[in-house]
Amino acid sequence: MSRFAPDVRSATTVRLAGLCVALLVLGACSGTPKPKPTALEPLTASIAGRVVWTQRVEGGSQGGGIAVASDRFIVASPGGTVLALEPESGREQWRASIGQALSAGPGSDGRWTAVVTRSGELVVLESGSVQWRAPLTQRVVTPPLVAGERVFVLGVDRSVQAFDALDGRRLWTLQRPGDPLTLAQVGVLAPWRDTLLVGQGPRLTGVDPLRGTVRWEIPMASPRGTNEIERLADLVGPAARLGNRVCARAFQATVSCADVSRPASSWSRTVGGVQGVELDESFVFAADASDRISAWRAASGELAWTNEKLLYRGLTAPLSVGPAVVFGDVEGQVHFLSRDNGSTLLRVPTDGSPVVTRPVAIGTTLLVMTRSGGLHALRPN
């Protein structure tokens, strides 16, 4: 195989009710008012940057996303529009309508693009044309992974299915004994050499992508508590990988890193939070449940700095690019912080609605999507 390119089910009504408690921080069941976002301080930007182009798709808070595929952005809207955009100008290379709302996507290797509909159908396109559709047996909220002429799909029960990208044949299914509760949030599904990395509960699992068999497991968190809710510690995406180092967050439990070449855990820090993490050659970045931002030294896990100026601003997962680590927030602001010390370098407004995707980048162009359906490309100088 070629090198990789990058509803909760429970047994009883009591468990379902308990899950709502577990997902309070995600706003799934709570009517309790959240703390107001911290007011932004006046800023004199130390780097220049601006929005260089915009596009618009159907808005929504779930089901859409942005993928980077070679030299283009692949965008999927919650309403079912999928398009490929040139990073420099925002010009459309192709556009397609799936005809249904989406629960997950996109995943793309540059040739094939995969999305999942809310009705439970995997849809694969080539150059904007639907090639095939396949029914799925589990709800999916994690973007599919397309690599090695295969499409991999992770269910909310953390089962994995593999399909032939050419004709949609189901190749294998990995269904493992799971935890009593699982989290209906984007999980970990990523490539490393000839191994498929999968988050299954609090474990990072290495899977043979040809056969669907387990090669190894690394515990990334140790669930604790007196009930199933307190022990819920699913790995949430996106995970981050650089070389042999993979870092991920366990829901409201830890931020951890592992060396997948050994394979073994490297370090773990107890910190709450629900969004994915970012990794570069020096640091691991993440915001906790209160949007306190921390940076840990990638090699040792030693705390390097924290930033508490963006508390309760509904931050996205971060992106490290150049001298900055970048977050979107609930008011449509995009924040560029110094990766070395956490100070604010630049702040760029978009359309005022929440940024709902992690920033992604091709070259010097960053792209985010907002809840109102705005696609905003930013370019710092």
Side-chain angles (χ1 to χ4, degrees):
M1 181 174 182
S2 63
R3 181 185 175 97
F4 283 71
D7 183 29
V8 172
R9 305 300 182 197
S10 57
T12 66
T13 303
V14 172
R15 288 176 179 172
L16 285 174
L19 183 67
C20 286
V21 177
L23 297 182
L24 284 178
V25 70
L26 301 180
C29 310
S30 173
T32 305
K34 296 180 180 179
K36 292 184 178 180
T38 299
L40 296 175
E41 297 179 339
L43 172 66
T44 300
S46 55
I47 61 174
R50 61 188 178 89
V51 173
V52 292
W53 55 260
T54 61
Q55 285 270 14
R56 185 159 294 279
V57 293
E58 306 98 326
S61 58
Q62 295 180 336
I66 307 172
V68 172
S70 183
D71 59 347
R72 71 194 73 175
F73 293 116
I74 307 295
V75 177
S77 76
T81 297
V82 185
L83 61 158
L85 302 173
E86 292 183 352
E88 288 297 316
S89 64
R91 186 179 70 86
E92 288 185 19
Q93 295 182 336
W94 53 258
R95 174 184 286 252
S97 176
I98 302 304
Q100 300 181 53
L102 303 182
S103 67
S108 183
D109 66 352
R111 177 180 177 183
W112 290 291
T113 296
V115 296
V116 178
T117 68
R118 292 184 191 173
S119 63
E121 195 173 46
L122 172 63
V123 183
V124 170
L125 307 94
E126 184 176 5
S127 300
S129 176
V130 174
Q131 298 300 297
W132 52 266
R133 298 172 182 256
L136 300 172
T137 57
Q138 288 291 340
R139 183 184 171 199
V140 173
V141 297
T142 302
L145 174 67
V146 184
E149 297 189 346
R150 297 189 175 202
V151 181
F152 302 95
V153 179
L154 178 68
V156 296
D157 65 346
R158 300 322 186 217
S159 63
V160 188
Q161 298 177 74
F163 297 82
D164 190 306
L166 288 168
D167 57 20
R169 286 181 299 119
R170 193 189 311 268
L171 302 173
W172 53 258
T173 299
L174 175 62
Q175 180 77 56
R176 310 192 63 205
D179 300 311
L181 293 180
T182 54
L183 191 65
Q185 185 174 345
V186 173
V188 172
L189 184 65
W192 176 70
R193 296 183 181 174
D194 65 346
T195 298
L196 184 66
L197 304 178
V198 182
Q200 294 188 310
R203 303 170 299 278
L204 182 66
T205 304
V207 176
D208 183 334
L210 296 178
R211 301 174 180 82
T213 54
V214 174
R215 290 175 168 168
W216 47 258
E217 289 185 337
I218 303 173
M220 301 289 277
S222 298
R224 299 177 181 178
T226 59
N227 57 56
E228 294 167 359
I229 303 304
E230 293 175 353
R231 292 192 293 269
L232 187 63
D234 277 21
L235 299 187
V236 297
R241 184 183 68 81
L242 186 63
N244 297 330
R245 180 176 289 133
V246 176
C247 301
R249 158 165 272 135
F251 178 75
Q252 288 290 48
T254 64
V255 170
S256 303
C257 290
D259 183 342
V260 292
S261 66
R262 294 170 51 189
S265 175
S266 300
W267 56 264
S268 183
R269 297 293 176 264
T270 300
V271 55
V274 299
Q275 295 286 0
V277 306
E278 174 65 314
L279 164 69
D280 63 23
E281 63 274 11
S282 299
F283 301 106
V284 177
F285 306 97
D288 68 13
S290 299
D291 291 322
R292 176 185 296 102
I293 301 168
S294 298
W296 297 269
R297 300 195 185 281
S300 65
E302 175 189 1
L303 183 65
W305 55 260
T306 60
N307 180 320
E308 299 187 357
K309 295 184 177 181
L310 301 176
L311 296 180
Y312 309 114
R313 295 196 62 84
L315 298 179
T316 65
L319 170 71
S320 178
V321 55
V325 56
V326 186
F327 295 81
D329 80 7
V330 73
E331 293 180 342
Q333 299 283 344
V334 180
H335 305 270
F336 293 73
L337 308 181
S338 167
R339 58 186 291 278
D340 294 325
N341 59 31
S343 62
T344 303
L345 304 176
L346 175 68
R347 184 188 306 142
V348 180
T350 58
D351 57 20
S353 67
V355 177
V356 293
T357 60
R358 170 182 178 262
V360 297
I362 296 177
T364 59
T365 303
L366 282 69
L367 187 64
V368 299
M369 179 191 293
T370 65
R371 183 173 295 171
S372 66
L375 297 170
H376 302 269
L378 299 82
R379 197 168 296 142
N381 298 327

